[in-house]
Amino acid sequence: MKKSKILMIIGSLLLLTLFVLPLWNITLDAPQYPDSLGIDIYITKMQGAHEGDIQNINIMNHYVGMEKLPEKMKEFELFPIVVIVMALLGVIIGFIGKRKLFLAWFVAMAILGSIGMYDFYLWEYKYGHNLDPKAAIQFPGQAYQPPLIGSKTILNFKAHSYPMSGGYMLFAGMFLSLGAFFVAGKEEEKEN
Amino acid sequence: MNLSFKSISIFLLIGLSLAIFSCQQGSNGGALKNSTAEKVFVAPGEHDEFYAFISGGFSGQLAVYGLPSGRLFKVIPVFSVDAEKAWGFNEETKPMLQTSHGFIPWGDSHHPDISQTNGELDGRWVFINENNTPRIARISLETFETDEIIEIPNSAGNHSSSFVTENTEYVVAGTRFSVPVPQRDMPIAEYKGNFKGALSFIKVDPEHGHMNIEFQILMPGFDYDLSHPGRGKSHGWFFFTTYNTEEASTLMEVNASQNDKDFIAAINWKKAEEYMKAGKFKTMPANYAHNVYDEATHSATTTWKKEVRVLDPAELPGLVYFMPTPKSPHGCDVDPSGEYIVGSGKLAAALTVHSFTKMEKAIADKNFEGEAYGIPVLSFDATLAGTVEQPGLGPLHTEFDGKGNAYTTFFISSEVVKWKLGTWEVIDRKPTYYSVGHLMIPGGNSRKPFGKYVVAMNKITKDRYLPTGPEVTQSAQLYDISGEKMELLLDFPTVGEPHYAAGIAADLIKPRSKKFYRLADNNHPYATKSQDETRVERKGKDVHVYMTMIRSHFAPDNIEGIKVGDRVYFHVTNLEQDYDVPHGISMIGANTSELLIMPGQTETFVWEPKQVGVWPFYCTDFCSALHQEMQGYVRVSPKNSKIKLSWSLDGE
Ligand SMILES: [Cu+2]
């Protein structure tokens, strides 16, 4: 089998690691939490970085009137379907081996990824701004939105938001599909 | 050498004045040097190298300190009620202090010892004995809580315990006072020949640590003072010091000090196991409590044991031998190799050391100088390994550094003396302040001591600290023993009488220390695992409040419909799943203590309201920014009131 095809198939299959590896992580650092508080975001769920973290983040956030972290989200139903479809599509494209389809798959992934990031931003915005007007502690004008990517100080916490292993696998998969596109170009040149 | 009682008191006077004199010298010297301070300095945020578990003596508890800093971390409630932690006050732990004499709110804790595997400390449990009402407790080193207490029948003054064998096969509990067995009404003057001393061998379940009295050896009516297990070559043996082989019962200080030599009793417990297997035991009726705390239900239960199996050494050859030891020996310490058994004759001028190899040979050669109550007495010279001459006054206890050196405390001359095993020469001596009892080297009762520090535990402190009225603190003192000469690094105050201690490298415990109890694993029959399940139920005069606590509120927070004469059970579950976030609860007028509930735990207290009114309850442990707001009310109405039971959650 051609090298480009193999790259494309492997790249697509890498998406499936998202079913076991976390896509993203938000970590909260404060002096009285020497082990940090953290949320690992999977395509199907949110999970505490340590046992009890979700509850402890909720307890901490309730002072300023934030909502509890959601257990159910429509994204957790939708994302797995998108990932399976794209992985399957990628494998089929890989077998077909058409160079332009490789690129098309990459572009589709990039668009879907951007939509995902935008959706994540919207959720963060709502999570950080939707405050109970009766909250015990209120700082006028203060929002608690975590950074989309990077680090930011929120009151006594330093919040860090970065991709995790699953996220890196996703990028690697996309990178491989792009690689498949260029390799396929070289392969075509040789054949001609 | 025959010392009269009078000459001992003269020694005591000389000893004390010598000690005070040398103290004045000492405080001008080393202890305040910078280099010394650095050796005990543990910078903010850093951890100590060792845990020290120092018994509280008459406080009945066990305190946890760090070494080398001497900082106090926790007092673990064991044999005495503790209002701070509701130990013995809440419904869950009341059974832990149950005995055949009823509920006992106090104990006298003496000798902690850490469990071992292959002769080395494994950091799983600490065992500790209660002297007054004979009991042995097992403390978990995952939770630092007392998990089990077993009462010892046929015993009184459970002093020669609790030491473990090298695979924690047994914990022993030897009686200090001999008593009629079984207990009965008889003239005290007929003590001699009629009283018995029970040495109990308590089997420890290797997986869960659960204790069971496997057998007792019914010994002659001496006083059994201290003990240590054999190890290495002497594994399978246990050694107990005795005093009052005179079997006197009045004016003991004189009448029990008449014999030139008392005994170290050498017990072959492997042989005892053979006799048990062969059915050579007698089953005696007994009545004693076995109290077990279950980590899943967060509750203790008492089981009543009704019999005990006893062995009679007079009828069972090879089970027990006596080694004559001068003079009223107190400490009985076995070196890491298991070869040397040090008997500290507290009234003797020299230290006596027996050899296990020679003991075995003397037994094989039947080199006996007589017998006592059918038990062979080995010839003194045949077992003697050597004596440490003129070491000090009033030798008590010996520990070992694992490098061939022994360290013995001297009560009367207030000092620690380092000497060499085999050559018996004194290498160094350092004063203690004052009247030292036990000393401890981490891992001391094992094949592998951590020979870096020795801690001396003193009975008296006099001028060492700021005065606090007639009673001043007790203290422990830390010496560096890594060099040829000992160096006093630190003295630090302790809780209660620091009777004895056990020490262990922090790394063997720290990683396994529990951070919180999983709510999902909470099987308390009255647990409330979420706020939605909170409720109040009436059953006649009993009212059960199923309450939860979380930063920073109780649910329910207002309760109405309680009447004077009700018994209100507050079953309170801490819903937190975070490290170090306990909550407390207390109720005005409750004739019990607050509760201090760990994350994921359920505890219960009873309140019997006697007065009509609206009475507050609140969180007693500062838990969060809104701790002061963590409160609620109970409305109490007259006996005949028609007000219905109701409660509120979150202001609804
Ligand atoms: Cu609280």
Side-chain angles (χ1 to χ4, degrees):
Chain A
M1 196 183 267
K2 277 184 193 163
K3 212 171 162 189
S4 61
K5 284 182 164 186
I6 294 169
L7 285 177
M8 184 63 210
I9 290 166
I10 291 173
S12 316
L13 288 175
L14 280 180
L15 291 194
L16 297 177
T17 61
L18 285 170
F19 282 92
V20 282
L21 300 176
L23 180 65
W24 209 269
N25 168 278
I26 298 175
T27 290
L28 301 167
D29 277 332
Q32 67 269 47
Y33 290 97
D35 294 334
S36 300
L37 290 171
I39 319 165
D40 290 337
I41 301 169
Y42 291 76
I43 53 166
T44 51
K45 63 181 176 191
M46 284 191 196
Q47 190 176 300
H50 314 92
E51 200 180 347
D53 270 10
I54 297 279
Q55 176 175 323
N56 293 322
I57 289 169
N58 286 336
I59 287 174
M60 190 190 65
N61 288 351
H62 96 278
Y63 292 115
V64 293
M66 291 169 75
E67 278 185 1
K68 285 187 175 174
L69 285 164
E71 276 176 38
K72 283 184 183 162
M73 282 174 94
K74 59 180 191 307
E75 285 86 344
F76 294 154
E77 289 160 27
L78 193 64
F79 284 0
I81 298 170
V82 173
V83 168
I84 287 181
V85 168
M86 286 308 290
L88 212 66
L89 213 60
V91 171
I92 293 168
I93 289 170
F95 277 112
I96 295 169
K98 274 209 170 150
R99 188 171 172 246
K100 276 182 188 159
L101 285 178
F102 294 173
L103 188 64
W105 187 88
F106 173 79
V107 171
M109 274 311 294
I111 292 169
L112 285 170
S114 304
I115 294 172
M117 284 302 280
Y118 182 63
D119 180 69
F120 181 48
Y121 172 81
L122 289 181
W123 172 78
E124 279 188 335
Y125 185 88
K126 184 166 155 276
Y127 180 64
H129 284 82
N130 180 23
L131 304 176
D132 183 347
K134 281 164 70 183
I137 302 172
Q138 302 198 13
F139 295 95
Q142 174 74 42
Y144 303 93
Q145 182 181 355
L148 185 62
I149 183 163
S151 299
K152 172 179 160 188
T153 301
I154 308 173
L155 295 186
N156 58 326
F157 280 93
K158 189 106 182 167
H160 312 278
S161 174
Y162 292 99
M164 276 196 94
S165 47
Y168 292 116
M169 287 297 175
L170 169 69
F171 296 141
M174 289 172 66
F175 180 77
L176 286 184
S177 75
L178 201 60
F181 171 72
F182 288 115
V183 171
K186 285 201 177 141
E187 285 167 351
E188 276 173 24
E189 269 174 35
K190 267 188 194 165
E191 279 168 24
N192 296 337
Chain B
M1 189 175 173
N2 221 333
L3 298 175
S4 70
F5 170 65
K6 207 169 156 192
S7 62
I8 291 297
S9 22
I10 292 165
F11 272 151
L12 204 136
L13 283 175
I14 298 169
L16 209 58
S17 44
L18 270 179
I20 290 170
F21 176 66
S22 42
C23 147
Q24 283 164 344
Q25 283 194 322
S27 56
N28 296 335
L32 296 175
K33 277 186 196 160
N34 278 343
S35 62
T36 308
E38 276 166 20
K39 283 183 178 173
V40 299
F41 181 67
V42 177
E46 284 178 12
H47 289 176
D48 279 282
E49 193 182 346
F50 293 96
Y51 283 98
F53 299 93
I54 303 186
S55 77
F58 49 73
S59 86
Q61 315 295 45
L62 179 68
V64 187
Y65 297 82
L67 297 180
S69 73
R71 298 179 294 193
L72 172 66
F73 299 140
K74 186 176 184 178
V75 176
I76 302 172
V78 189
F79 298 112
S80 296
V81 295
D82 181 354
E84 181 194 337
K85 300 177 186 83
W87 184 253
F89 287 100
N90 62 22
E91 296 305 297
E92 288 75 11
T93 58
K94 277 179 183 171
M96 290 301 280
L97 301 181
Q98 199 56 248
T99 75
S100 62
H101 306 276
F103 178 91
I104 293 187
W106 169 85
D108 185 9
S109 62
H110 270 73
H111 309 113
D113 202 16
I114 298 169
S115 57
Q116 299 182 20
T117 306
N118 298 325
E120 294 180 21
L121 302 192
D122 60 26
R124 299 205 288 165
W125 308 300
V126 182
F127 297 89
I128 188 165
N129 58 319
E130 205 270 272
N131 195 45
N132 182 59
T133 308
R135 288 175 275 178
I136 300 276
R138 180 176 54 83
I139 294 149
S140 156
L141 291 182
E142 276 181 22
T143 59
F144 286 64
E145 295 213 12
T146 306
D147 272 359
E148 190 172 357
I149 295 180
I150 193 164
E151 193 184 356
I152 313 296
N154 297 333
S155 294
N158 173 35
H159 195 263
S160 45
S161 43
S162 55
F163 302 101
V164 301
T165 52
E166 68 179 30
N167 289 297
T168 321
E169 294 97 337
Y170 294 98
V171 174
V172 299
T175 193
R176 177 171 151 208
F177 309 117
S178 282
V179 288
V181 176
Q183 272 291 6
R184 61 189 182 275
D185 176 20
M186 65 170 279
I188 300 167
E190 290 170 24
Y191 176 131
K192 198 164 188 167
N194 287 314
F195 283 29
K196 294 272 177 221
L199 306 180
S200 309
F201 282 74
I202 302 160
K203 190 110 194 135
V204 179
D205 170 73
E207 199 180 335
H208 302 104
H210 289 153
M211 299 186 284
N212 177 50
I213 300 177
E214 196 71 3
F215 57 87
Q216 289 189 322
I217 300 175
L218 278 190
M219 299 284 287
F222 313 148
D223 287 47
Y224 296 85
D225 207 3
L226 272 161
S227 66
H228 265 92
R231 57 181 62 96
K233 62 175 90 167
S234 53
H235 179 58
W237 290 78
F238 226 107
F239 304 94
F240 293 77
T241 43
T242 67
Y243 64 98
N244 193 23
T245 48
E246 298 85 349
E247 294 183 78
S249 62
T250 60
L251 194 58
M252 295 289 288
E253 63 179 13
V254 175
N255 292 334
S257 306
Q258 294 304 306
N259 286 350
D260 192 44
K261 294 190 182 73
D262 296 288
F263 300 130
I264 284 179
I267 314 280
N268 187 340
W269 59 259
K270 289 245 162 106
K271 196 92 190 166
E273 286 181 334
E274 286 170 25
Y275 282 131
M276 288 302 294
K277 238 184 215 157
K280 296 285 170 71
F281 58 86
K282 212 175 83 196
T283 304
M284 274 183 70
N287 183 37
Y288 57 101
H290 184 208
N291 310 324
V292 179
Y293 184 85
D294 181 336
E295 209 179 286
T297 59
H298 303 288
S299 307
T301 44
T302 297
T303 310
W304 293 101
K305 301 263 182 142
K306 294 297 182 189
E307 53 185 38
V308 64
R309 302 185 297 178
V310 299
L311 295 171
D312 182 350
E315 292 170 2
L316 304 171
L319 182 60
V320 182
Y321 297 92
F322 285 134
M323 291 193 280
T325 306
K327 192 186 157 165
S328 300
H330 185 60
C332 176
D333 301 289
V334 181
D335 86 304
S337 73
E339 167 64 13
Y340 296 118
I341 304 127
V342 183
S344 299
K346 58 185 185 282
L347 309 179
L351 272 180
T352 307
V353 186
H354 297 283
S355 152
F356 178 74
T357 312
K358 285 185 161 186
M359 184 194 92
E360 278 195 310
K361 186 168 185 310
I363 292 170
D365 298 348
K366 296 205 168 14
N367 197 345
F368 305 144
E369 59 179 47
E371 60 162 54
Y373 294 101
I375 297 167
V377 177
L378 299 170
S379 141
F380 175 68
D381 294 323
T383 63
L384 187 70
T387 48
V388 185
E389 299 293 342
Q390 306 282 326
L393 298 173
L396 290 183
H397 304 287
T398 303
E399 296 258 308
F400 308 89
D401 62 7
K403 293 172 253 175
N405 302 304
Y407 301 74
T408 302
T409 52
F410 291 82
F411 180 79
I412 295 172
S413 51
S414 278
E415 58 186 336
V416 179
V417 174
K418 175 181 179 180
W419 51 276
K420 203 164 188 62
L421 288 160
T423 69
W424 324 118
E425 61 181 316
V426 170
I427 297 167
D428 189 25
R429 55 178 71 235
K430 282 282 178 301
T432 60
Y433 309 101
Y434 308 93
S435 300
V436 61
H438 275 276
L439 76 172
M440 179 273 280
I441 291 173
N445 180 36
S446 77
R447 289 168 78 164
K448 212 180 117 194
F450 304 87
K452 190 170 177 184
Y453 299 112
V454 65
V455 178
M457 284 153 274
N458 307 322
K459 311 295 182 190
I460 296 173
T461 53
K462 298 278 189 193
D463 58 347
R464 293 296 283 184
Y465 302 96
L466 285 177
T468 51
E471 201 210 4
V472 286
T473 184
Q474 282 83 24
S475 85
Q477 292 186 300
L478 182 76
Y479 298 81
D480 181 339
I481 54 166
S482 54
E484 175 79 357
K485 298 283 178 191
M486 296 178 275
E487 188 183 4
L488 176 62
L489 300 180
L490 178 73
D491 49 5
F492 57 97
T494 57
V495 179
E497 179 216 355
H499 192 90
Y500 181 50
I504 183 170
D507 292 341
L508 289 171
I509 293 184
K510 214 159 67 167
R512 297 190 298 112
S513 186
K514 208 175 188 74
K515 296 197 162 165
F516 57 84
Y517 296 95
R518 265 194 206 103
L519 204 54
D521 298 341
N522 180 333
N523 289 329
H524 191 292
Y526 294 98
T528 315
K529 295 197 187 179
S530 81
Q531 214 160 294
D532 308 332
E533 297 167 32
T534 59
R535 64 199 184 277
V536 184
E537 287 171 357
R538 176 179 283 285
K539 281 181 187 146
K541 285 212 168 300
D542 288 350
V543 178
H544 293 270
V545 181
Y546 294 81
M547 184 179 271
T548 62
M549 51 191 1
I550 202 154
R551 279 162 286 176
S552 318
H553 63 273
F554 293 101
D557 57 2
N558 283 336
I559 301 168
E560 302 196 7
I562 304 290
K563 292 177 236 174
V564 170
D566 283 347
R567 279 174 64 82
V568 186
Y569 290 85
F570 285 83
H571 307 289
V572 192
T573 303
N574 181 348
L575 294 180
E576 304 279 357
Q577 294 288 273
D578 198 358
Y579 187 24
D580 197 19
V581 191
H583 293 286
I585 181 171
S586 69
M587 183 75 226
I588 189 169
N591 300 114
T592 178
S593 78
E594 63 143 10
L595 300 180
L596 183 67
I597 311 171
M598 296 305 123
Q601 212 174 23
T602 304
E603 289 187 15
T604 302
F605 75 96
V606 182
W607 178 51
E608 294 175 77
K610 294 170 192 75
Q611 297 172 50
V612 164
V614 178
W615 306 104
F617 57 88
Y618 65 94
C619 176
T620 46
D621 185 4
F622 205 109
C623 56
S624 65
L626 296 169
H627 162 74
Q628 286 302 87
E629 284 74 8
M630 196 163 167
Q631 63 185 51
Y633 285 104
V634 181
R635 174 181 171 188
V636 178
S637 306
K639 251 191 175 87
N640 51 7
S641 159
K642 294 269 180 285
I643 292 172
K644 276 208 172 138
L645 211 55
S646 67
W647 60 92
S648 69
L649 300 171
D650 285 349
E652 282 158 26

